[in-house]
Amino acid sequence: MPKYYEDKEEDGRACGGVREDLRQCLLESPCVLQEKKSPKQCLREGHCRSLQMTFFACKRSMVSVCSVFSSAGGL
């Protein structure tokens, strides 16, 4: 279950809460704990997929908002 809505230190970065949840999910996954693989490798193998998709959607929404502002400057 995502925990980004609970008390956490603010890291000030876009999508920081979801990023932290994805990090925790990977660090607590059997892939890292039992198989001793790196979190990056486990992410590539599809672990914590729903949080990964949520994080990328959040980042994508930040990019699309920025592109609206940058393209409006040329009007």
Side-chain angles (χ1 to χ4, degrees), residues 18-63:
V18 179
R19 178 192 318 259
E20 176 65 23
D21 286 347
L22 178 57
R23 183 181 152 282
Q24 279 302 115
C25 178
L26 287 168
L27 291 176
E28 295 171 1
S29 71
C31 180
V32 170
L33 295 176
Q34 295 169 357
E35 298 174 29
K36 307 294 186 200
K37 295 180 182 176
S38 72
K40 188 174 185 175
Q41 188 174 2
C42 294
L43 189 63
R44 285 187 188 136
E45 292 177 3
H47 295 271
C48 304
R49 190 62 147 177
S50 61
L51 281 171
Q52 181 184 20
M53 299 306 289
T54 301
F55 178 66
F56 288 153
C58 180
K59 295 295 277 188
R60 188 174 28 252
S61 72
M62 298 301 293
V63 170

